[in-house]
Amino acid sequence: MDDCREIRVLVLGDEGVGKSSLISTYVSQIFSPVPAKMIPILVPPSHALPSVRATILDTSPSDPLPLQNVDSIILVYDLHRLSTFESLERHYLPLIEELNIPTILCASKVDKGTNPPPKLLNLLAKYKFVAACISVSSKTLLQVNELFLTSMAIILYPLPPLFSLSTSTLTPLSISAFLRIYRMYTTTKLLSDTGLNEFQTHYFSAPLLSDDIQGLKKIVVKEDQRSVEDGRFTSIGFLNIFKMFIVRNQLEMPWVVLKEEGYTLKVNPDPTVDDELMLNHPENLKEWKGRMPKGAEEFLKGMKEVCGDGERVDVYKVVEVISGGLPWEEDGFFEDSWSSVGGELARSVSSNALTGSIIVPPQSPTKPATPQSANSPRLDDSTALLDSGSILLEGEEVEEGEERMMSSDDFIDAYILSYSVAPLKTLQHIHALGWRGLKEVGEEKESEYIRIRVLTGDSATWEKVMSVVSRYQKSRVVVTTVPWGSSNKGDDDDFDLTVFVIVDAKPAVIEEALECCRSLGEDRRRCFVRLEDGSVEGGAGGAGGGCEAVVKHCEERDLEAPFVSREEGDAVAWLVKCATSDGGTEGEKRVKPYFRERRQALKRKKMMKGGLAVLVLVVVGFGVSTFVNTRERNGGKGGGRSFLDGLKDTIGLSSRSRNGSSSGGTSSSAALTAASD
Ligand SMILES: Nc1nc2c(ncn2[C@@H]2O[C@H](COP(=O)(O)OP(=O)(O)OP(=O)(O)O)[C@@H](O)[C@H]2O)c(=O)[nH]1
Ligand SMILES: [Mg+2]
């Protein structure tokens, strides 16, 4: 089985326009008298189109139009008989329109001289399925091969999604796609010759010579001065390379590149509207679990060079390769994400969209963003980390069209935020921006940031899912707040720590939190936080203040006592310590149930392992010793002894083994002593 595509090309037109001559000339490369109707001709795959096997079908004007099962049409008119041109619109084009078959208009017999061109542009604008117009002569073989090749290529490499014939420009979607591909080969604003060669080698497996590159530059600069800067291609120049290939009817080149990068056609059910380019995301993005992949973060970091000034990122530039805006600005972006109420994040982020400082740094007191959040509970006045509502974006309104510059760190934080609520959609969005995606799941490392899930059961201010990015020393800390009653709290595998925040210490609320804690897997880290705003009478009393059940719960399970916001110090530091504790050493936070028992069990296990290892060594040692002694008694050499001595010295058994190594009984009792040592 080969993977050749079978296509059927129909040649259509008024009587005597030269249909049969065209087919005959193409097949034999000789212009000669022809029968009224050629038999169907099978054209095998050619060098130019190795993956197409075509059948060319001739027609006779007396035939009923055999338009069924046809992939493309060559519609011929005689350049010197106006009536044959008029038939196109009067007769053929409306019929083809019903079936929306890609068609090439062919002006024949140009060897007889050129006539003023009929109103072709009108036809092109009206009939979207007309993909090209070609003037030919069978008599002189002018453009006959090109005509048939194009009729096949428009099936594989259609023009309308890439180029508008009526305006002679690339379509907006193809511009986006080519600009996206441009980003894949440069880490700055310009594309170096090395980058261009990487591009060339990636898709066409052969590098360009330096002379070829210089020649290419000359041609595109002739078309558009802005194509080259400092001897390197600009993004405009890169677009012009594609345009040049398209205008020269070499559509295979752009299509090979586009297909390799995941573009396919979205067929439009309305025949009057062109099919569109569509980017497909790699399937393995769905398999990615956990934090944002390192490659995605690295790609975002690179944007400060490619779409910024080296320090800051111009967000308009970043999103110019996609039809929508930033992830959280897109309608329905958070639908289907694990956050059931992620829309709040979307609104908060987009309303302040990327205009200035984005995340409030933990050390600066923040201005509440919403009226409710003014009274919202907080861990500590010096941190915005858990300050509901005000933690998202701050900024001023911008004028339409104004540059939106952000610091590179804020830009990345915004994506980490978005990822924490809608991971898959955010990855797909970054892929659409130009990140190549995951090569192999598992190969790619995760970026290093800490993810904390805050579960809370209180009051209106806590009902919304929201995320914050904060920084602690060198770590980025992402805190996502979810109501614990919410059916969709995300996968706990995604988080390093689950925090239960108790604001309102009602017994029912507390029981719900404890139940939630009990249902967490024992290997998941968790801790409790008691939020105190200082006005609560009766005091927290340590972690009390109505929270005795929580304190008891923690004691019974040997968990860290609840953190009390009013009394304790830096909440971020405390949470980071909890999120990074692995429960192995004494000073670490106790965040997994039965920490001491776990540690003791771990110690016992280690000792057992050590004991076993010693036992094995001793048994081996005594075996060797017995063997050597026996050999010595039998006149063996001393080399074995020194090895044995070394071994015994290592496990501290020299004297014992020397003193009594002749019997098996002694050896096993010595081993037991060694193990207990
Ligand atoms: N000068 C010139 N004459 C051509 C050319 N192509 C075809 N002819 C002549 O035009 C006449 C019609 O050519 P055909 O190939 O039979 O045209 P057709 O469209 O198949 O005609 P029907 O089958 O009757 O519909 C013949 O006399 C051809 O020799 C051309 O490129 N140049
Ligand atoms: Mg004919």
Side-chain angles (χ1 to χ4, degrees):
M1 271 265 303
D2 61 2
D3 52 6
C4 252
R5 171 134 188 220
E6 305 274 348
I7 63 170
R8 290 160 65 85
V9 179
L10 188 74
V11 184
L12 207 61
D14 278 359
E15 188 182 352
V17 290
K19 302 179 292 293
S20 307
S21 298
L22 273 172
I23 299 172
S24 159
T25 313
Y26 174 58
V27 176
S28 66
Q29 298 289 299
I30 296 167
F31 177 65
S32 56
V34 285
K37 188 175 171 185
M38 300 285 287
I39 54 161
I41 306 282
L42 194 72
V43 183
S46 64
H47 177 68
L49 285 175
S51 53
V52 175
R53 193 178 289 122
T55 306
I56 299 174
L57 305 159
D58 196 5
T59 55
S60 183
S62 53
D63 291 345
L65 278 188
L67 293 181
Q68 302 302 331
N69 301 323
V70 166
D71 297 295
S72 73
I73 293 174
I74 296 176
L75 185 54
V76 191
Y77 65 94
D78 185 335
L79 198 57
H80 307 278
R81 276 200 290 152
L82 190 59
S83 64
T84 63
F85 178 76
E86 286 165 353
S87 294
L88 304 183
E89 194 159 19
R90 198 181 54 240
H91 182 47
Y92 300 102
L93 289 170
L95 291 173
I96 300 171
E97 187 172 27
E98 281 174 27
L99 296 163
N100 196 26
I101 303 168
T103 297
I104 297 169
L105 293 189
C106 167
S108 66
K109 309 185 188 179
V110 289
D111 57 281
K112 285 164 68 178
T114 46
N115 263 359
K119 291 174 186 162
L120 272 179
L121 280 183
N122 292 352
L123 289 193
L124 288 174
K126 189 167 172 192
Y127 300 102
K128 297 280 186 194
F129 54 87
V130 177
C133 305
I134 302 182
S135 301
V136 302
S137 164
S138 298
K139 196 169 177 180
T140 62
L141 263 87
L142 182 80
Q143 301 229 94
V144 174
N145 291 345
E146 285 79 0
L147 172 70
F148 283 94
L149 279 178
T150 308
S151 73
M152 299 170 208
I154 55 170
I155 310 300
L156 286 185
Y157 313 124
L159 178 75
L162 307 188
F163 193 79
S164 158
L165 281 172
S166 51
T167 60
S168 269
T169 52
L170 295 170
T171 59
L173 284 180
S174 74
I175 290 176
S176 300
F178 296 137
L179 285 180
R180 175 175 173 268
I181 292 163
Y182 178 73
R183 282 182 190 174
M184 294 176 180
Y185 293 92
T186 180
T187 48
T188 64
K189 281 195 176 69
L190 297 171
L191 178 67
S192 66
D193 292 358
T194 318
L196 185 70
N197 244 334
E198 263 173 44
F199 165 86
Q200 162 76 15
T201 316
H202 185 82
Y203 306 105
F204 306 102
S205 312
L208 289 168
L209 300 174
S210 171
D211 283 354
D212 297 336
I213 297 179
Q214 298 319 319
L216 193 62
K217 281 179 193 162
K218 272 190 193 143
I219 298 172
V220 287
V221 165
K222 226 174 178 179
E223 290 291 317
D224 189 332
Q225 287 284 333
R226 299 165 302 168
S227 297
V228 174
E229 242 177 67
D230 296 337
R232 290 176 288 168
F233 279 102
T234 59
S235 54
I236 293 176
F238 191 71
L239 291 177
N240 280 329
I241 297 176
F242 284 99
K243 188 175 169 189
M244 193 179 77
F245 276 90
I246 293 169
V247 169
R248 292 178 184 194
N249 220 3
Q250 293 167 353
L251 284 149
E252 189 184 357
M253 179 279 196
W255 271 111
V256 164
V257 174
L258 289 169
K259 284 185 179 171
E260 170 85 16
E261 293 307 339
Y263 291 89
T264 49
L265 270 190
K266 189 166 97 193
V267 179
N268 210 312
D270 178 354
T272 61
V273 182
D274 285 332
D275 297 340
E276 287 185 348
L277 267 186
M278 185 173 76
L279 174 64
N280 299 292
H281 299 294
E283 277 299 306
N284 65 358
L285 292 187
K286 292 189 184 134
E287 292 163 36
W288 183 259
K289 298 273 179 271
R291 294 166 182 74
M292 192 153 85
K294 194 129 191 127
E297 197 175 316
E298 292 300 321
F299 170 80
L300 294 172
K301 273 185 196 157
M303 286 296 105
K304 66 173 187 273
E305 300 292 343
V306 180
C307 299
D309 58 12
E311 297 291 326
R312 295 170 309 153
V313 180
D314 178 350
V315 183
Y316 272 136
K317 274 224 152 316
V318 176
V319 298
E320 77 184 359
V321 300
I322 53 172
S323 47
L326 292 151
W328 44 89
E329 290 177 333
E330 281 170 32
D331 277 351
F333 185 83
F334 293 99
E335 278 167 22
D336 311 323
S337 65
W338 65 258
S339 151
S340 53
V341 284
E344 179 64 17
L345 172 63
R347 270 194 301 283
S348 310
V349 179
S350 62
S351 64
N352 297 289
L354 304 158
T355 51
S357 69
I358 157 168
I359 314 298
V360 181
Q363 295 313 318
S364 63
T366 56
K367 157 177 112 239
T370 56
Q372 299 106 301
S373 67
N375 305 318
S376 67
R378 55 177 60 194
L379 267 179
D380 186 312
D381 273 349
S382 69
T383 173
L385 183 66
L386 293 179
D387 188 359
S388 164
S390 63
I391 45 182
L392 298 166
L393 305 183
E394 278 202 335
E396 284 137 40
E397 292 297 315
V398 274
E399 292 296 314
E400 192 69 30
E402 195 180 317
E403 270 193 353
R404 292 188 293 183
M405 299 298 281
M406 289 176 75
S407 87
S408 172
D409 271 351
D410 288 349
F411 175 73
I412 295 163
D413 284 354
Y415 277 91
I416 291 177
L417 272 180
S418 172
Y419 180 84
S420 71
V421 180
L424 179 62
K425 286 185 178 172
T426 307
L427 285 190
Q428 289 176 339
H429 170 93
I430 302 173
H431 176 248
L433 293 182
W435 169 52
R436 277 184 177 275
L438 301 160
K439 299 237 163 47
E440 296 270 335
V441 175
E443 217 179 66
E444 164 101 21
K445 289 206 173 62
E446 290 176 344
S447 10
E448 287 142 11
Y449 57 91
I450 295 167
R451 285 197 61 180
I452 295 176
R453 175 176 63 163
V454 174
L455 294 183
T456 171
D458 279 290
S459 70
T461 50
W462 289 91
E463 277 168 13
K464 309 284 188 267
V465 171
M466 54 182 85
S467 287
V468 207
V469 177
S470 180
R471 299 214 180 84
Y472 179 74
Q473 294 174 354
K474 283 187 178 161
S475 313
R476 278 187 159 84
V477 185
V478 184
V479 180
T480 301
T481 309
V482 190
W484 60 53
S486 141
S487 58
N488 199 347
K489 295 190 282 256
D491 189 347
D492 35 313
D493 280 355
D494 293 350
F495 299 94
D496 298 299
L497 174 72
T498 297
V499 184
F500 295 95
V501 174
I502 315 278
V503 185
D504 185 357
K506 286 186 190 133
V509 173
I510 288 178
E511 187 40 45
E512 224 177 321
L514 299 184
E515 193 45 49
C516 226
C517 177
R518 284 182 210 112
S519 66
L520 267 188
E522 290 222 329
D523 271 333
R524 312 306 312 164
R525 296 188 195 94
R526 84 284 312 272
C527 65
F528 287 84
V529 168
R530 171 82 173 105
L531 283 176
E532 294 277 331
D533 62 6
S535 63
V536 178
E537 281 309 313
C547 263
E548 291 80 5
V550 179
V551 175
K552 194 161 161 250
H553 172 92
C554 291
E555 274 169 10
E556 277 170 11
R557 282 163 183 76
D558 189 25
L559 285 168
E560 208 62 39
F563 178 96
V564 181
S565 62
R566 205 174 58 164
E567 296 178 349
E568 314 267 348
D570 185 352
V572 188
W574 194 83
L575 289 179
V576 168
K577 273 184 200 151
C578 288
T580 49
S581 160
D582 65 12
T585 43
E586 185 62 63
E588 282 185 323
K589 296 281 175 207
R590 292 164 294 135
V591 285
K592 294 179 183 173
Y594 312 111
F595 174 83
R596 267 191 205 102
E597 280 163 42
R598 274 163 184 269
R599 210 155 45 79
Q600 274 160 11
L602 207 73
K603 210 170 161 189
R604 274 200 299 277
K605 218 168 154 187
K606 272 189 192 156
M607 280 172 61
M608 283 285 285
K609 268 194 188 157
L612 270 177
V614 171
L615 179 66
V616 170
L617 284 177
V618 170
V619 170
V620 170
F622 274 85
V624 175
S625 159
T626 311
F627 171 71
V628 172
N629 287 344
T630 313
R631 267 182 58 140
E632 272 189 343
R633 275 200 300 279
N634 296 339
K637 300 276 179 229
R641 176 175 288 277
S642 67
F643 161 75
L644 184 65
D645 283 346
L647 187 66
K648 285 178 198 159
D649 286 346
T650 313
I651 55 175
L653 281 174
S654 306
S655 55
R656 266 198 294 275
S657 61
R658 273 194 200 108
N659 293 340
S661 59
S662 54
S663 87
T666 320
S667 104
S668 65
S669 69
L672 283 175
T673 323
S676 66
D677 284 347

